[in-house]
Amino acid sequence: MLKVTAVHPDSIAAELGLQEGTQLLTVNGRELEDFLDWEFLTAEEEILLHVRQPDGEEIEYDIERPLGEPIGVSLEPARIRRCANRCDFCFVDGLPDGLRDVLYIRDDDYRLSFRYGNFATLTNLKPHDVDRIIEYRLSPLYVSVHATDPVVRRYLLRNPTAPDILPQLRQFADHGIDFHTQIVMSPGVNDGPVLRQTLDELYAFGPAILGCSVVPVGLTEYSKHHLVREPTEAECRAAIEVIDERSATARRERGRHWAYGADELYLRAGVELPPAEIYDDFEQVENGVGSVRWLQRRQNPDGGWGETCDSYIRPELAAAGASGPSQTAWALLGLLAAGVTSEPAVERGVQYLLATQRADGGWDDPLWNGTGFPRVFYLKYHLYATYFPLWALGVYRRARRK
Ligand code: SF4
């Protein structure tokens, strides 16, 4: 059963009389477990929907609608699937105490992997989950492999029952499912020969593995430093060499670079970031892989960056749109955080802000720059256009002084 949290105005759901609190029981006789069932089972033009209204009345609707027209409901968020591992480098261990509860959730959820590109280890799958992945053909999935050697992988995940990843991936690949993969590189454990072996075996797996990124382990002052450490400059350089070799072969044989280093790997190595072309279609940009080059590519000719709320519906519109002060400041802050202080993109972004600053020190921002309730309504935070540009210019100035 799924609960409706909002009904979109002028939608099919509004016309039917669904309301906040309506329970969605079945679609075409199948029980609804989560948003995946809802999205896949309601994808047909004709559906039989069985609901329980907040007053207890049960109703069955025979719905016919144009293909692609959404029913128009927001659903109660799915309960996130928890992780079965205890990696020494876990980002949750790297948090201080006293933050919001949700920040401590160790998520490992194949549904979020499919929907949002979250990386999952697939170590907590039950037979029912395997069946769903195959039935709904959840592809591509984003998978944290870390090492193809099962012993090393179990050590890294601190999970003695983690299944052997290659046969697991094969089971899905045989049903047409593809994967983006990542290796979180923990020095002394899965770098060196293990890294080479993992990249070789993932590449040999075949085209179902669309690519593999290598991300250096990232720790904070709260992490388990007695168990894990960050890679040195030399270790990062050695990893880049392995990636470059694999990438050169992949480019020749498959027309893709396939193996990617995270931006962080280059920054730690003290090696210049590679050109944008090596990231193929920037499929792992949200994993910090090619983020700097992606931002640079999205810069407008006037030196600014822009984005509209349409990118919630069409992700390809991310960082695309007329320049605005808030978005330009965010892009600059991103580049500066990555240590990019003197590239032309930064200079042009700074010049855009300086050129558009009003005499009173503020900026005009015509864009709706707040998230609000995506797809339902959006908010505008008027002071964003003041403090983010000031913040970005301040960080730029400090960085240039160093
Ligand atoms: S897989 Fe590892 S890093 Fe990810 S949530 Fe679980 S313990 Fe943390």
Side-chain angles (χ1 to χ4, degrees):
M1 182 277 290
L2 300 174
K3 201 179 253 185
V4 173
T5 54
V7 175
H8 305 179
D10 304 322
S11 63
I12 294 171
E15 210 176 297
L16 294 174
L18 303 191
Q19 43 193 293
E20 184 186 336
T22 297
Q23 296 175 358
L24 307 169
L25 302 177
T26 64
V27 170
N28 298 336
R30 284 190 55 178
E31 284 184 18
L32 300 170
E33 180 182 325
D34 57 27
F35 65 89
L36 277 184
D37 291 328
W38 176 251
E39 287 175 11
F40 280 85
L41 298 175
T42 60
E44 307 292 326
E45 276 172 85
E46 288 183 35
I47 59 166
L48 198 61
L49 172 64
H50 184 193
V51 309
R52 183 182 298 122
Q53 294 288 33
D55 64 5
E57 184 187 9
E58 291 198 15
I59 309 174
E60 210 161 55
Y61 297 104
D62 202 347
I63 303 171
E64 261 187 71
R65 53 151 182 178
L67 200 60
E69 184 178 339
I71 303 284
V73 290
S74 297
L75 303 175
E76 206 171 39
R79 200 176 141 71
I80 293 172
R81 296 287 295 271
R82 305 304 165 110
C83 174
N85 314 309
R86 277 295 175 273
C87 311
D88 294 337
F89 52 78
C90 184
F91 57 93
V92 171
D93 295 326
L95 295 173
D97 291 336
L99 303 179
R100 283 176 290 137
D101 288 348
V102 290
L103 295 174
Y104 300 102
I105 294 176
R106 292 174 210 260
D107 65 295
D108 194 359
D109 195 322
Y110 67 94
R111 302 167 305 172
L112 305 184
S113 174
F114 170 67
R115 169 66 91 76
Y116 301 115
N118 294 15
F119 277 89
T121 65
L122 309 182
T123 53
N124 57 356
L125 297 186
K126 302 198 167 43
H128 172 64
D129 302 317
V130 173
D131 292 345
R132 294 183 92 205
I133 291 172
I134 292 171
E135 184 193 350
Y136 292 150
R137 201 169 166 175
L138 301 185
S139 178
L141 289 176
Y142 290 74
V143 180
S144 289
V145 171
H146 302 333
T148 47
D149 181 319
V151 176
V152 178
R153 188 166 192 255
R154 285 177 197 136
Y155 175 83
L156 282 160
L157 296 173
R158 296 279 179 182
N159 181 350
T161 62
D164 196 345
I165 189 69
L166 288 176
Q168 199 181 19
L169 296 181
R170 178 61 63 202
Q171 178 185 20
F172 294 126
D174 286 347
H175 290 87
I177 291 161
D178 296 333
F179 312 95
H180 296 288
T181 59
Q182 75 160 349
I183 295 166
V184 172
M185 190 182 88
S186 182
V189 185
N190 63 341
D191 58 347
V194 177
L195 176 65
R196 191 178 291 278
Q197 177 195 355
T198 301
L199 285 173
D200 286 352
E201 290 186 348
L202 289 175
Y203 185 73
F205 187 94
I209 299 204
L210 302 168
C212 183
S213 64
V214 179
V215 183
V217 87
L219 306 175
T220 73
E221 61 183 294
Y222 303 99
S223 301
K224 297 175 176 172
H225 290 272
H226 55 294
L227 296 173
V228 61
R229 66 172 173 87
E230 290 177 339
T232 62
E233 186 178 311
E235 286 164 339
C236 291
R237 281 175 183 253
I240 290 169
E241 274 175 32
V242 176
I243 294 166
D244 285 348
E245 280 173 34
R246 172 47 61 206
S247 165
T249 317
R251 178 88 185 100
R252 257 194 332 272
E253 294 177 352
R254 296 190 188 162
R256 287 172 60 77
H257 291 83
W258 192 87
Y260 322 102
D263 291 14
E264 175 103 20
L265 193 68
Y266 293 90
L267 297 170
R268 282 180 185 276
V271 170
E272 194 184 340
L273 288 162
E277 300 76 68
I278 80 106
Y279 299 105
D280 295 326
D281 295 324
F282 286 99
E283 289 129 323
Q284 293 208 28
V285 69
E286 292 186 21
N287 195 24
V289 180
S291 311
V292 167
R293 298 302 183 215
W294 182 85
L295 270 175
Q296 288 172 329
R297 275 210 167 173
R298 293 286 181 157
Q299 190 171 27
N300 287 326
D302 63 8
W305 282 264
E307 180 167 335
T308 68
C309 295
D310 289 342
S311 60
Y312 279 110
I313 299 156
R314 293 177 50 201
E316 71 275 15
L317 293 180
S323 301
S326 309
Q327 286 87 348
T328 300
W330 296 333
L332 277 175
L333 285 166
L335 293 174
L336 292 165
V340 180
T341 52
S342 57
E343 293 220 10
V346 172
E347 297 299 331
R348 289 171 51 227
V350 167
Q351 288 310 318
Y352 170 85
L353 288 182
L354 294 176
T356 53
Q357 192 174 23
R358 292 193 312 251
D360 67 0
W363 281 264
D364 293 318
D365 193 350
L367 300 170
W368 290 75
N369 51 21
T371 50
F373 296 81
R375 296 171 186 243
V376 182
F377 70 88
Y378 297 97
L379 299 173
K380 182 163 187 166
Y381 298 112
H382 294 267
L383 287 178
Y384 271 22
T386 301
Y387 60 74
F388 281 115
L390 287 176
W391 181 2
L393 290 173
V395 172
Y396 169 76
R397 195 168 72 156
R398 273 200 306 280
R400 295 293 288 171
R401 273 189 185 153
K402 278 184 190 162

